[in-house]
Amino acid sequence: MAERSTAAVDVADNSGDKPLTAKAEAATTDGTAQTQDSEATVSESDGREDSAGVPATPDLHSGHKLAGRYRLEECVTRLDGFSSWRAVDEKLRRAVGVHLLPADHPRARSVLAAARSSALLGDPRFVQVLDAVEEDDLVYVVHEWLPDATELTALLAAGPLEAHDAYQLVSQISQAMAAAHREGLSHLRLTPGAVLRSSTGQYRIRGLAVNAALRGITADKPLRTDTEAIGALLYAALTRRWPYENDAYGLTGLPKDLGLIPPDQVRAGVHRGLSEIAMRALANDGATASRQEQPCTTPDELAKAVAAMPRVLPPESTFTAPPEYQRTTYQQGTYGRPSTRPTSATQPVIAVPPPPLQSRTGKVLKWAVSALLIAALGLGSWQLAEALLDRKDSEEPTPTQTDTTDSGDDNNAIEPSKPVKIVGAQDYDPLGSDGSEKPASIKNVYDGDAASYWNTDGYYSAYFGKLKEGVGVVLDLGEVQQVGSVDVSFLGGETSVELRTTEGASVPPMPDGFTRAAKGTGTKVSLKPDKPVQARYLLVWLTKLPPSDGGNYRGKISDIKVTS
């Protein structure tokens, strides 16, 4: 059964004896290989072992509960003696994924060990293992379920990725796998179905160590296997072709007898630097043909090679000019009926007066109205003159009056605070892996619209998953000015924040280059230094994030105002 959700763990291809670089078997479009006719048939009714000696997949059904907590909802895969389910954690009221296999399965012990090792890593770049239990003749592994994530297979079905997206893919995946290998963990099943992109643009890897353990996959050179897999993912992202002869994961393979050719020779417009990175990861022997660069044999070497190349920036948004202003028919005075003359010519409207009263009664009426108007004008003029004379008398000061308006001391007047204009802003993430934190929405922090906001990436804990100390926004005041208060409005919950300042002509490369001026916690925080400071650049530095949807933690700034 093929996988039917982007959140379930990849349970593809049962042939664990072939490395990832081997020619791929026939696969379905979501990266889940079809079982072969030669595979033993599993009996789900009597629980007997198949001809290969593998215990039958446990005969469970929707609604079954594990540990009185995890309610099975939908079976997404049943293969080789184990099954994978979408389930609900009724205790925490959230969706989870569950792998199930009999306790006497030959790979049950290795699956438990792999799951527990992966859970200890605690890196938010991987889909987290939440529980690994042996209970009632069953072994089950519980992991995160990401309903808002899209797997790379689905992204490539729409076409190759933009250069910036491919750069983020290889940068984030290589850094994550380098961190995993430093802890002694390998993936060995790093396929397009094992890579997810969240709604925030962060790439997540699922099935670390567990996917390979479920199939009994091992490798003599795990570092090389995972590195080559990352190169294949980048190759597919750039060309929408699988870098081997056979088709796989919904992607067409390369032409036969042509060998491994660089991505920029497969498709026009491919980024040259990323093409070379893909070849350095895929080249097994020697150097690439284009630049004679040494091949990358570990994820750490690949991550350093990506970091050494010029950063690929996101494409600039195209500005669409609004249509030329046109007067509506209502403004033209013809609302509700068609215009009978060209709108380009403006015709003067001449009001035609009604005919005068010609009869004797009409003449008498006119004289009476005229007399009344003359009398009213005379009375009004007399009342106006009397009022002006009374006002003049009241404004003349008496000899005993004294003017005390000038007796105060102007030097003691307190100058009121004034708004300070923010001329620009930029995201500030020098401690992050890519040095960037949602730059596209940074203008929302000072656009005056409380509904718009800038948000951070999602993290596994309130303290940025222990990956860094903080992240923030740098405000540019245009010139050194006096700053008395910075008011910050947050969305999503109470957020801890610091105000840091600098009088320098440029933004310091690290947060310690700023001077701490104030700090606070809340949804509306007023950061007031003990005394007004002089600064051009202000750093609003987030140090603790509130919980967000999907079990992550995320900061959201809706508005920032600066006063002198």
Side-chain angles (χ1 to χ4, degrees), residues 70 82 118 154 159 177 192 206 214 231 278 295 306 309 324 332 335 368 372 383 415 421 442 462 477 535 563:
Y70 303 113
F82 70 88
S118 178
M177 288 309 305
R206 61 186 176 188
L214 284 168
V306 174
M309 66 178 291
E324 185 178 355
Q332 294 170 351
Y335 181 75
L372 289 174
Q383 290 179 341
E415 183 180 356
K421 183 179 180 181
I442 197 66
L477 306 183
T563 54

PDB file of all heavy atoms in Angstrom, residues 70 82 118 154 159 177 192 206 214 231 278 295 306 309 324 332 335 368 372 383 415 421 442 462 477 535 563:
ATOM      1  N   TYR A  70      -2.744   6.078  22.379  1.00  0.00           N
ATOM      2  CA  TYR A  70      -2.594   6.322  20.949  1.00  0.00           C
ATOM      3  C   TYR A  70      -3.678   5.545  20.190  1.00  0.00           C
ATOM      4  O   TYR A  70      -3.648   4.310  20.131  1.00  0.00           O
ATOM      5  CB  TYR A  70      -1.205   5.879  20.476  1.00  0.00           C
ATOM      6  CG  TYR A  70      -0.081   6.556  21.222  1.00  0.00           C
ATOM      7  CD1 TYR A  70       0.754   5.833  22.074  1.00  0.00           C
ATOM      8  CD2 TYR A  70       0.151   7.922  21.090  1.00  0.00           C
ATOM      9  CE1 TYR A  70       1.789   6.441  22.766  1.00  0.00           C
ATOM     10  CE2 TYR A  70       1.180   8.542  21.773  1.00  0.00           C
ATOM     11  CZ  TYR A  70       1.991   7.804  22.612  1.00  0.00           C
ATOM     12  OH  TYR A  70       3.008   8.419  23.300  1.00  0.00           O
ATOM     13  N   PHE A  82       5.695  -5.256   9.051  1.00  0.00           N
ATOM     14  CA  PHE A  82       5.388  -4.089   9.890  1.00  0.00           C
ATOM     15  C   PHE A  82       4.362  -3.214   9.178  1.00  0.00           C
ATOM     16  O   PHE A  82       4.134  -3.336   7.980  1.00  0.00           O
ATOM     17  CB  PHE A  82       6.656  -3.283  10.213  1.00  0.00           C
ATOM     18  CG  PHE A  82       7.245  -2.551   9.047  1.00  0.00           C
ATOM     19  CD1 PHE A  82       6.828  -1.264   8.722  1.00  0.00           C
ATOM     20  CD2 PHE A  82       8.241  -3.125   8.267  1.00  0.00           C
ATOM     21  CE1 PHE A  82       7.375  -0.579   7.653  1.00  0.00           C
ATOM     22  CE2 PHE A  82       8.800  -2.448   7.197  1.00  0.00           C
ATOM     23  CZ  PHE A  82       8.362  -1.179   6.888  1.00  0.00           C
ATOM     24  N   SER A 118      17.625   7.958  17.908  1.00  0.00           N
ATOM     25  CA  SER A 118      17.152   9.129  17.176  1.00  0.00           C
ATOM     26  C   SER A 118      16.442  10.108  18.096  1.00  0.00           C
ATOM     27  O   SER A 118      16.575  11.325  17.947  1.00  0.00           O
ATOM     28  CB  SER A 118      16.214   8.683  16.049  1.00  0.00           C
ATOM     29  OG  SER A 118      15.693   9.791  15.351  1.00  0.00           O
ATOM     30  N   ALA A 154       6.288  15.621  -3.845  1.00  0.00           N
ATOM     31  CA  ALA A 154       5.159  16.432  -4.322  1.00  0.00           C
ATOM     32  C   ALA A 154       5.628  17.768  -4.873  1.00  0.00           C
ATOM     33  O   ALA A 154       5.067  18.279  -5.850  1.00  0.00           O
ATOM     34  CB  ALA A 154       4.152  16.638  -3.182  1.00  0.00           C
ATOM     35  N   GLY A 159       7.466  20.695 -10.802  1.00  0.00           N
ATOM     36  CA  GLY A 159       8.567  21.219 -11.601  1.00  0.00           C
ATOM     37  C   GLY A 159       9.821  21.388 -10.766  1.00  0.00           C
ATOM     38  O   GLY A 159       9.805  21.218  -9.539  1.00  0.00           O
ATOM     39  N   MET A 177      22.363  16.507   8.471  1.00  0.00           N
ATOM     40  CA  MET A 177      22.972  15.179   8.446  1.00  0.00           C
ATOM     41  C   MET A 177      24.380  15.197   9.033  1.00  0.00           C
ATOM     42  O   MET A 177      24.828  14.218   9.636  1.00  0.00           O
ATOM     43  CB  MET A 177      22.994  14.638   7.021  1.00  0.00           C
ATOM     44  CG  MET A 177      21.631  14.230   6.485  1.00  0.00           C
ATOM     45  SD  MET A 177      20.719  13.113   7.593  1.00  0.00           S
ATOM     46  CE  MET A 177      21.908  11.788   7.790  1.00  0.00           C
ATOM     47  N   PRO A 192      13.573  11.368  -1.862  1.00  0.00           N
ATOM     48  CA  PRO A 192      12.671  12.531  -1.921  1.00  0.00           C
ATOM     49  C   PRO A 192      11.457  12.400  -1.013  1.00  0.00           C
ATOM     50  O   PRO A 192      10.905  13.408  -0.571  1.00  0.00           O
ATOM     51  CB  PRO A 192      12.265  12.578  -3.400  1.00  0.00           C
ATOM     52  CG  PRO A 192      13.398  11.953  -4.128  1.00  0.00           C
ATOM     53  CD  PRO A 192      13.904  10.866  -3.220  1.00  0.00           C
ATOM     54  N   ARG A 206      12.696  12.970   7.831  1.00  0.00           N
ATOM     55  CA  ARG A 206      12.000  11.971   8.621  1.00  0.00           C
ATOM     56  C   ARG A 206      12.667  10.600   8.462  1.00  0.00           C
ATOM     57  O   ARG A 206      13.326  10.323   7.463  1.00  0.00           O
ATOM     58  CB  ARG A 206      10.529  11.868   8.200  1.00  0.00           C
ATOM     59  CG  ARG A 206      10.305  11.454   6.760  1.00  0.00           C
ATOM     60  CD  ARG A 206       8.821  11.527   6.421  1.00  0.00           C
ATOM     61  NE  ARG A 206       8.572  11.225   5.019  1.00  0.00           N
ATOM     62  CZ  ARG A 206       7.403  11.369   4.429  1.00  0.00           C
ATOM     63  NH1 ARG A 206       6.386  11.824   5.129  1.00  0.00           N
ATOM     64  NH2 ARG A 206       7.231  11.069   3.159  1.00  0.00           N
ATOM     65  N   LEU A 214      13.924  -0.537   9.965  1.00  0.00           N
ATOM     66  CA  LEU A 214      12.713  -1.272   9.619  1.00  0.00           C
ATOM     67  C   LEU A 214      12.953  -2.232   8.458  1.00  0.00           C
ATOM     68  O   LEU A 214      12.279  -3.266   8.345  1.00  0.00           O
ATOM     69  CB  LEU A 214      11.593  -0.288   9.256  1.00  0.00           C
ATOM     70  CG  LEU A 214      10.927   0.439  10.427  1.00  0.00           C
ATOM     71  CD1 LEU A 214      10.049   1.575   9.920  1.00  0.00           C
ATOM     72  CD2 LEU A 214      10.110  -0.521  11.284  1.00  0.00           C
ATOM     73  N   GLY A 231      23.347  14.575  -2.639  1.00  0.00           N
ATOM     74  CA  GLY A 231      23.655  15.015  -4.002  1.00  0.00           C
ATOM     75  C   GLY A 231      22.562  14.633  -4.977  1.00  0.00           C
ATOM     76  O   GLY A 231      22.215  15.412  -5.881  1.00  0.00           O
ATOM     77  N   ALA A 278      26.263  19.522  -6.697  1.00  0.00           N
ATOM     78  CA  ALA A 278      25.603  18.228  -6.892  1.00  0.00           C
ATOM     79  C   ALA A 278      26.586  17.202  -7.443  1.00  0.00           C
ATOM     80  O   ALA A 278      26.608  16.039  -7.001  1.00  0.00           O
ATOM     81  CB  ALA A 278      24.411  18.384  -7.827  1.00  0.00           C
ATOM     82  N   PRO A 295      35.809  15.717  -4.740  1.00  0.00           N
ATOM     83  CA  PRO A 295      34.456  15.289  -4.370  1.00  0.00           C
ATOM     84  C   PRO A 295      34.231  15.414  -2.866  1.00  0.00           C
ATOM     85  O   PRO A 295      35.176  15.365  -2.076  1.00  0.00           O
ATOM     86  CB  PRO A 295      34.409  13.829  -4.823  1.00  0.00           C
ATOM     87  CG  PRO A 295      35.835  13.391  -4.856  1.00  0.00           C
ATOM     88  CD  PRO A 295      36.631  14.598  -5.254  1.00  0.00           C
ATOM     89  N   VAL A 306      29.019  24.088   0.494  1.00  0.00           N
ATOM     90  CA  VAL A 306      27.862  24.958   0.235  1.00  0.00           C
ATOM     91  C   VAL A 306      28.067  26.314   0.901  1.00  0.00           C
ATOM     92  O   VAL A 306      27.764  27.366   0.326  1.00  0.00           O
ATOM     93  CB  VAL A 306      26.568  24.285   0.741  1.00  0.00           C
ATOM     94  CG1 VAL A 306      25.389  25.236   0.600  1.00  0.00           C
ATOM     95  CG2 VAL A 306      26.297  22.997  -0.021  1.00  0.00           C
ATOM     96  N   MET A 309      30.385  28.750  -1.081  1.00  0.00           N
ATOM     97  CA  MET A 309      29.949  29.356  -2.338  1.00  0.00           C
ATOM     98  C   MET A 309      29.142  30.618  -2.061  1.00  0.00           C
ATOM     99  O   MET A 309      28.616  30.807  -0.957  1.00  0.00           O
ATOM    100  CB  MET A 309      29.093  28.357  -3.140  1.00  0.00           C
ATOM    101  CG  MET A 309      27.761  28.008  -2.491  1.00  0.00           C
ATOM    102  SD  MET A 309      26.762  26.876  -3.487  1.00  0.00           S
ATOM    103  CE  MET A 309      26.328  27.951  -4.866  1.00  0.00           C
ATOM    104  N   GLU A 324      -4.341  52.385 -14.765  1.00  0.00           N
ATOM    105  CA  GLU A 324      -4.561  53.833 -14.807  1.00  0.00           C
ATOM    106  C   GLU A 324      -5.925  54.167 -14.224  1.00  0.00           C
ATOM    107  O   GLU A 324      -6.923  53.498 -14.494  1.00  0.00           O
ATOM    108  CB  GLU A 324      -4.464  54.330 -16.249  1.00  0.00           C
ATOM    109  CG  GLU A 324      -4.564  55.846 -16.362  1.00  0.00           C
ATOM    110  CD  GLU A 324      -4.425  56.321 -17.806  1.00  0.00           C
ATOM    111  OE1 GLU A 324      -4.169  55.454 -18.663  1.00  0.00           O
ATOM    112  OE2 GLU A 324      -4.584  57.517 -18.045  1.00  0.00           O
ATOM    113  N   GLN A 332     -19.016  60.392 -12.903  1.00  0.00           N
ATOM    114  CA  GLN A 332     -19.288  61.210 -14.078  1.00  0.00           C
ATOM    115  C   GLN A 332     -20.718  61.719 -14.103  1.00  0.00           C
ATOM    116  O   GLN A 332     -21.104  62.427 -15.017  1.00  0.00           O
ATOM    117  CB  GLN A 332     -19.033  60.373 -15.340  1.00  0.00           C
ATOM    118  CG  GLN A 332     -17.555  60.005 -15.502  1.00  0.00           C
ATOM    119  CD  GLN A 332     -17.345  59.000 -16.594  1.00  0.00           C
ATOM    120  OE1 GLN A 332     -18.308  58.449 -17.123  1.00  0.00           O
ATOM    121  NE2 GLN A 332     -16.106  58.749 -16.942  1.00  0.00           N
ATOM    122  N   TYR A 335     -24.504  57.602 -13.360  1.00  0.00           N
ATOM    123  CA  TYR A 335     -24.744  56.324 -12.699  1.00  0.00           C
ATOM    124  C   TYR A 335     -26.177  55.866 -12.959  1.00  0.00           C
ATOM    125  O   TYR A 335     -27.130  56.587 -12.751  1.00  0.00           O
ATOM    126  CB  TYR A 335     -24.517  56.474 -11.197  1.00  0.00           C
ATOM    127  CG  TYR A 335     -24.716  55.191 -10.438  1.00  0.00           C
ATOM    128  CD1 TYR A 335     -23.756  54.198 -10.487  1.00  0.00           C
ATOM    129  CD2 TYR A 335     -25.862  54.979  -9.693  1.00  0.00           C
ATOM    130  CE1 TYR A 335     -23.922  53.025  -9.806  1.00  0.00           C
ATOM    131  CE2 TYR A 335     -26.040  53.812  -9.004  1.00  0.00           C
ATOM    132  CZ  TYR A 335     -25.079  52.824  -9.059  1.00  0.00           C
ATOM    133  OH  TYR A 335     -25.252  51.665  -8.382  1.00  0.00           O
ATOM    134  N   ALA A 368     -42.883  92.209  -1.557  1.00  0.00           N
ATOM    135  CA  ALA A 368     -42.988  91.849  -0.135  1.00  0.00           C
ATOM    136  C   ALA A 368     -41.733  91.114   0.332  1.00  0.00           C
ATOM    137  O   ALA A 368     -41.194  91.367   1.414  1.00  0.00           O
ATOM    138  CB  ALA A 368     -44.225  90.964   0.091  1.00  0.00           C
ATOM    139  N   LEU A 372     -38.947  92.401   3.273  1.00  0.00           N
ATOM    140  CA  LEU A 372     -38.551  91.562   4.410  1.00  0.00           C
ATOM    141  C   LEU A 372     -37.027  91.355   4.455  1.00  0.00           C
ATOM    142  O   LEU A 372     -36.411  91.381   5.520  1.00  0.00           O
ATOM    143  CB  LEU A 372     -39.254  90.205   4.331  1.00  0.00           C
ATOM    144  CG  LEU A 372     -40.765  90.227   4.628  1.00  0.00           C
ATOM    145  CD1 LEU A 372     -41.370  88.853   4.384  1.00  0.00           C
ATOM    146  CD2 LEU A 372     -41.012  90.661   6.079  1.00  0.00           C
ATOM    147  N   GLN A 383     -27.393  94.374  15.335  1.00  0.00           N
ATOM    148  CA  GLN A 383     -26.989  93.424  16.376  1.00  0.00           C
ATOM    149  C   GLN A 383     -25.492  93.100  16.283  1.00  0.00           C
ATOM    150  O   GLN A 383     -24.810  92.960  17.296  1.00  0.00           O
ATOM    151  CB  GLN A 383     -27.811  92.136  16.244  1.00  0.00           C
ATOM    152  CG  GLN A 383     -29.278  92.326  16.629  1.00  0.00           C
ATOM    153  CD  GLN A 383     -30.074  91.035  16.461  1.00  0.00           C
ATOM    154  OE1 GLN A 383     -29.637  90.135  15.751  1.00  0.00           O
ATOM    155  NE2 GLN A 383     -31.245  90.989  17.098  1.00  0.00           N
ATOM    156  N   GLU A 415      10.644  68.856  27.372  1.00  0.00           N
ATOM    157  CA  GLU A 415      10.357  68.614  25.954  1.00  0.00           C
ATOM    158  C   GLU A 415       9.622  67.282  25.792  1.00  0.00           C
ATOM    159  O   GLU A 415      10.103  66.243  26.260  1.00  0.00           O
ATOM    160  CB  GLU A 415      11.655  68.582  25.155  1.00  0.00           C
ATOM    161  CG  GLU A 415      11.428  68.405  23.665  1.00  0.00           C
ATOM    162  CD  GLU A 415      12.728  68.387  22.897  1.00  0.00           C
ATOM    163  OE1 GLU A 415      13.778  68.586  23.532  1.00  0.00           O
ATOM    164  OE2 GLU A 415      12.685  68.155  21.668  1.00  0.00           O
ATOM    165  N   LYS A 421      11.180  58.172  13.204  1.00  0.00           N
ATOM    166  CA  LYS A 421      10.856  57.421  11.991  1.00  0.00           C
ATOM    167  C   LYS A 421      11.863  56.296  11.763  1.00  0.00           C
ATOM    168  O   LYS A 421      13.063  56.468  11.887  1.00  0.00           O
ATOM    169  CB  LYS A 421      10.862  58.356  10.773  1.00  0.00           C
ATOM    170  CG  LYS A 421      10.467  57.667   9.473  1.00  0.00           C
ATOM    171  CD  LYS A 421      10.465  58.631   8.312  1.00  0.00           C
ATOM    172  CE  LYS A 421      10.076  57.929   7.016  1.00  0.00           C
ATOM    173  NZ  LYS A 421      10.099  58.865   5.862  1.00  0.00           N
ATOM    174  N   ILE A 442       9.885  41.366   6.561  1.00  0.00           N
ATOM    175  CA  ILE A 442      10.481  42.195   7.603  1.00  0.00           C
ATOM    176  C   ILE A 442       9.845  43.584   7.672  1.00  0.00           C
ATOM    177  O   ILE A 442       9.783  44.201   8.741  1.00  0.00           O
ATOM    178  CB  ILE A 442      12.011  42.298   7.378  1.00  0.00           C
ATOM    179  CG1 ILE A 442      12.708  42.785   8.645  1.00  0.00           C
ATOM    180  CG2 ILE A 442      12.324  43.214   6.209  1.00  0.00           C
ATOM    181  CD1 ILE A 442      12.628  41.805   9.777  1.00  0.00           C
ATOM    182  N   ALA A 462      11.159  26.672  23.366  1.00  0.00           N
ATOM    183  CA  ALA A 462      11.055  28.124  23.506  1.00  0.00           C
ATOM    184  C   ALA A 462      12.409  28.801  23.389  1.00  0.00           C
ATOM    185  O   ALA A 462      12.483  29.989  23.063  1.00  0.00           O
ATOM    186  CB  ALA A 462      10.403  28.473  24.851  1.00  0.00           C
ATOM    187  N   LEU A 477      17.440  53.894  11.867  1.00  0.00           N
ATOM    188  CA  LEU A 477      16.821  55.214  12.059  1.00  0.00           C
ATOM    189  C   LEU A 477      17.364  56.257  11.097  1.00  0.00           C
ATOM    190  O   LEU A 477      16.961  57.418  11.168  1.00  0.00           O
ATOM    191  CB  LEU A 477      17.035  55.672  13.505  1.00  0.00           C
ATOM    192  CG  LEU A 477      16.579  54.696  14.601  1.00  0.00           C
ATOM    193  CD1 LEU A 477      16.785  55.322  15.967  1.00  0.00           C
ATOM    194  CD2 LEU A 477      15.124  54.300  14.404  1.00  0.00           C
ATOM    195  N   ALA A 535      21.598  56.481  19.225  1.00  0.00           N
ATOM    196  CA  ALA A 535      21.845  55.304  18.389  1.00  0.00           C
ATOM    197  C   ALA A 535      21.259  55.520  17.010  1.00  0.00           C
ATOM    198  O   ALA A 535      20.319  56.293  16.825  1.00  0.00           O
ATOM    199  CB  ALA A 535      21.253  54.050  19.017  1.00  0.00           C
ATOM    200  N   THR A 563      10.210  56.148  20.014  1.00  0.00           N
ATOM    201  CA  THR A 563      10.022  57.548  20.401  1.00  0.00           C
ATOM    202  C   THR A 563      11.304  58.055  21.036  1.00  0.00           C
ATOM    203  O   THR A 563      12.110  57.294  21.592  1.00  0.00           O
ATOM    204  CB  THR A 563       8.858  57.705  21.396  1.00  0.00           C
ATOM    205  OG1 THR A 563       9.060  56.832  22.510  1.00  0.00           O
ATOM    206  CG2 THR A 563       7.534  57.336  20.731  1.00  0.00           C
TER     207      THR A 563
END
